[in-house]
Amino acid sequence: MHQRVSAPKKLPGVHVDLDHGFLHSVESGGAVDGPGMRFVFFMAGCQFRCVYCHNPDTWKLHNGRRVDVDAMLAEVRPYAGFLKFAGGVTFSGGEPMMQAGFVGNVMRHIKQEMGLHIALDTQGYLHTGVEDDWFDNVDLVMLDIKHIDPEKYHAITAQYLQPTLDFAERLKRLRKKMWMRYVLVPDLTDDTDDVNRMADFVATLGDIVERVEVLPFHQMGVSKWDALKMEYTLRDTRTPTNEEAEAARDIFRARGLVAS
């Protein structure tokens, strides 16, 4: 039996209710959101405004569908037997910690009733809103660090870098397994010195880092920016070549990290 976790703190702009939340969409066969095949909950709401975001339609909390815990469990329950051996459940977004109370409650029920592997896909900015026991039902954190330079990070996200780095250090203290994710964007995040600095930082986290995922930028989200009538500044930015992506991965591998 898993114990109830501590309620989240009320940080500005976050949704703290435990009994309901806002769900943007689901994917029942996700292959790129954690180990194995995943049932992915894309939660609504994010305080970041990343210039390369491919899901800007998830930014507004109340654009999502209001759901309660039973509705969330009903979504994943039909697949539980398969997910038990094939993968698990991933909470992504948006930013799932925007609804930490509700998401934590759903994770607890999934772990308690179905015993599934749970991954959290986050940028970690809001981690101070929850106590350590909030992570007890999280098996893997997929931490997205957008850039290692504070000024460039702010230019990309409109938020500050330090809370995310502090979260990485917290995961180290908690001995929580982590995949670090880094989106490689030409002329934005691919400077060799910056990638080296990022690799140096990730290496300090030690063996909690199971993998570094270097994700080549793509233009798959441009239609969403257009539909929302928002200015998309990366319209002319190209996708990195395979050689460029491998060169970035090699920088992480040179620190003894597994990079893919």
Side-chain angles (χ1 to χ4, degrees), residues 54-246:
H54 62 277
N55 287 320
D57 50 331
T58 67
W59 287 356
K60 293 185 178 180
L61 181 70
H62 294 98
N63 279 355
R65 171 167 56 98
R66 178 178 168 132
V67 290
D68 60 18
V69 174
D70 288 341
M72 294 284 280
L73 298 179
E75 292 273 7
V76 69
R77 190 173 286 119
Y79 308 97
F82 171 73
L83 295 171
K84 182 78 173 178
F85 68 86
V89 175
T90 296
F91 288 84
S92 184
E95 169 50 57
M97 294 184 79
M98 279 279 289
Q99 310 181 52
F102 178 65
V103 168
N105 202 12
V106 175
M107 289 194 300
R108 180 174 63 86
H109 278 85
I110 289 175
K111 183 64 75 176
Q112 182 174 322
E113 298 176 19
M114 306 177 201
L116 299 179
H117 180 279
I118 294 176
L120 174 70
D121 182 12
T122 180
Q123 21 83 348
Y125 185 81
L126 293 171
H127 77 100
T128 58
V130 297
E131 301 294 336
D132 287 347
D133 60 5
W134 191 88
F135 298 96
D136 287 352
N137 295 312
V138 178
D139 298 292
L140 173 71
V141 175
M142 303 169 72
L143 180 59
D144 190 355
I145 307 180
K146 316 289 184 179
H147 207 289
I148 197 61
D149 181 272
E151 291 186 4
K152 295 177 181 177
Y153 187 93
H154 193 272
I156 292 171
T157 68
Q159 296 291 350
Y160 296 102
L161 168 63
Q162 193 58 49
T164 296
L165 300 185
D166 291 344
F167 180 52
E169 296 289 352
R170 183 179 185 181
L171 295 176
K172 179 181 180 180
R173 175 174 62 79
L174 294 175
R175 300 294 303 158
K176 188 65 64 177
K177 294 179 180 178
M178 184 178 93
W179 288 8
M180 182 268 180
R181 306 184 109 182
Y182 187 68
V183 180
L184 192 69
V185 187
D187 302 322
L188 194 64
T189 69
D190 66 341
D191 182 89
T192 300
D193 289 341
D194 289 333
V195 178
N196 270 289
R197 289 172 59 196
M198 177 69 80
D200 286 341
F201 172 74
V202 176
T204 67
L205 301 174
D207 61 3
I208 67 163
V209 182
E210 291 189 334
R211 177 182 300 184
V212 176
E213 291 190 315
V214 175
L215 307 173
F217 166 78
H218 57 70
Q219 293 281 5
M220 293 174 63
V222 64
S223 61
K224 296 181 179 179
W225 287 78
D226 290 344
L228 294 168
K229 302 186 184 309
M230 298 192 305
E231 182 183 8
Y232 183 59
T233 59
L234 301 185
R235 194 174 300 274
D236 297 324
T237 300
R238 63 181 177 82
T239 296
T241 65
N242 291 335
E243 290 75 17
E244 289 169 332
E246 275 302 298

